[in-house]
Structures are given as C-alpha cells and as structure tokens.
Amino acid sequence: DSGVTQTPKHLITATGQRVTLRCSPRSGDLSVYWYQQSLDQGLQFLIQYYNGEERAKGNILERFSAQQFPDLHSELNLSSLELGDSALYFCASTPGVAGGVYNEQFFGPGTRLTVL
Amino acid sequence: GENVEQHPSTLSVQEGDSAVIKCTYSDSASNYFPWYKQELGKRPQLIIDIRSNVGEKKDQRIAVTLNKTAKHFSLHITETQPEDSAVYFCAAIKAAGNKLTFGGGTRVLVKP
C-alpha cells in the first residue's frame, strides 16, 4: 500500500457524460500528479498540482480539468466523454519540495474508466 | 520538452538468464532516473532509481547504469525469475521542473 488512495476503483459510464475521479495523496505530500494509461500503453502525464496550484501540464485535453483542494486531495474531471477516454487513471504524490531534490512518486491503485 | 525512448518494447528471457532494458533521454538537464515495475492491472512501483551524480547503482538482482554523456541509462536484471514478469517503465526528470517523463515501457516475460 503506497498511502495514496483513489476513488472510485471502477467507473462505467456512457459517451457524452461527465465523471470525477478523486485522489488523496500520502500524508504530508504536497504534489499530486495525474496520469492516463490506455490499454497496453504507457503512462501519459496529464497534470501536476503543488500545494493547490497547477505546476505542470502535459497532454491534457481541454475536456479534462483538475484541481487540488486546501486539504490537498485532488479531483480530475472528465467531460463529454468519448470511447477513447476509456483507460486507467493513476494519481501519484510526492513531498514535492518546489525546486528542490526530486523524490519518488508514489502511485495510487488507479481508477479504471470504461466509456460505453 | 523531455523525450524518453525505451527499448525493447517486449523481452522474453529464460528463467535464470539476464534481462537488459535501455532508455535514452533528450534533455541534458534531467538528473533523476527512476525505474518502475507494473504488474497487470496494478499500480507502477519504484524498483530502483539513480541520480545524475552516480554512474551505477545495485540492489540485489537489479542494477541501473547511467551514461550522462550519451544520455542513456539501462536496467539490468540478473538471474531472472517468473515473478520478474511485468511491464517496466523508465523515466527521467529535472528536479526543478518536477515533470516526470516516462518511456513507452518494456513487457518482460520470464519463461520457466
């Protein structure tokens, strides 16, 4: 157990719908990262938040958005869902000292999203 | 931005043999290189990492080497066992940027 939690574990929805994925980082970690992993594909970085502020952005679609709340949990919102959005969505956390030495990213168990 | 290339994409080895996975990166400012192992349907887990101030690091049957001049790093698994079967990802990052770029992954199959 990495200490990072994600809910829900599985999500099945229809095209055009909107869903919210939730991530709680390890206690004390300030940075949260979101990744998308499609079937048999690599890990695509979506977005990073550090202490409530967006810090880095990857190939995140405009239909997707995220935020990190004062209690440091994060939510990834996916709207106007398409079949191709079906994937495993992971979040990860690090202590994330800004500009400091980089530390290991601890991954959550993932949310498996199926769009029908 | 950073680009990480990983080879091979699949690797099949006989139990007891060695496995080697190679990665190249593009950004010479990258200074931290972790390797993650992901079993089917599970989360990626760090197995070993190396920082740019060292050339090699070992942990039991696993070792990583780094050549900063050539901008490549490799994972070596010796005496492979069936439980080593998984997908392995390399990654690179600049500490200040905090954006981890992953390679495409290598699916390793260890045949008994």
Side-chain angles (χ1 to χ4, degrees):
Chain A
D1 185 1
S2 66
V4 179
T5 61
Q6 288 186 250
T7 56
K9 193 171 183 178
H10 299 280
L11 196 50
I12 301 174
T13 188
T15 54
Q17 296 297 305
R18 172 189 167 95
V19 297
T20 297
L21 313 183
R22 182 188 170 105
C23 168
S24 291
R26 294 187 319 152
S27 177
D29 282 0
L30 300 178
S31 271
V32 170
Y33 306 75
W34 285 99
Y35 295 91
Q36 179 191 57
Q37 186 175 40
S38 302
L39 188 64
D40 285 341
Q41 297 294 313
L43 289 153
Q44 298 298 320
F45 169 72
L46 295 177
I47 198 163
Q48 177 206 355
Y49 278 83
Y50 172 74
N51 203 19
E53 293 188 2
E54 182 185 305
R55 183 163 176 84
K57 217 170 193 177
N59 297 324
I60 187 167
L61 300 172
E62 285 192 9
R63 300 184 286 109
F64 296 0
S65 64
Q67 54 184 328
Q68 186 179 26
F69 294 86
D71 67 352
L72 300 177
H73 91 272
S74 178
E75 292 181 356
L76 179 67
N77 301 296
L78 315 176
S79 61
S80 303
L81 285 168
E82 301 175 359
L83 296 177
D85 297 327
S86 295
L88 256 176
Y89 290 84
F90 287 103
C91 79
S93 75
T94 69
V97 177
V101 176
Y102 181 77
N103 296 289
E104 173 188 354
Q105 286 193 8
F106 291 87
F107 282 79
T111 292
R112 182 171 295 281
L113 172 67
T114 302
V115 183
L116 300 175
Chain B
E2 174 68 280
N3 183 51
V4 178
E5 299 280 341
Q6 184 171 345
H7 299 280
S9 57
T10 59
L11 181 58
S12 182
V13 298
Q14 208 64 39
E15 183 178 357
D17 288 349
S18 295
V20 180
I21 304 170
K22 298 181 179 180
C23 289
T24 60
Y25 61 99
S26 60
D27 191 340
S28 57
S30 290
N31 56 14
Y32 175 72
F33 308 92
W35 285 88
Y36 284 83
K37 176 183 179 182
Q38 186 179 27
E39 297 176 0
L40 190 62
K42 297 190 176 180
R43 63 186 174 90
Q45 289 188 277
L46 182 77
I47 55 171
I48 195 167
D49 57 14
I50 191 167
R51 298 190 188 273
S52 59
N53 57 347
V54 298
E56 184 176 1
K57 184 176 178 180
K58 286 185 180 180
D59 183 3
Q60 300 182 331
R61 297 185 299 107
I62 292 173
V64 58
T65 58
L66 171 65
N67 184 326
K68 285 214 74 181
T69 303
K71 290 190 285 188
H72 67 70
F73 56 113
S74 300
L75 178 72
H76 304 253
I77 307 174
T78 58
E79 300 172 19
T80 53
Q81 300 167 4
E83 52 264 37
D84 294 329
S85 296
V87 178
Y88 292 81
F89 292 97
C90 64
I93 190 169
K94 290 184 293 188
N98 275 3
K99 179 178 173 292
L100 196 60
T101 302
F102 284 89
T106 297
R107 185 175 301 277
V108 174
L109 175 63
V110 180
K111 295 180 288 186

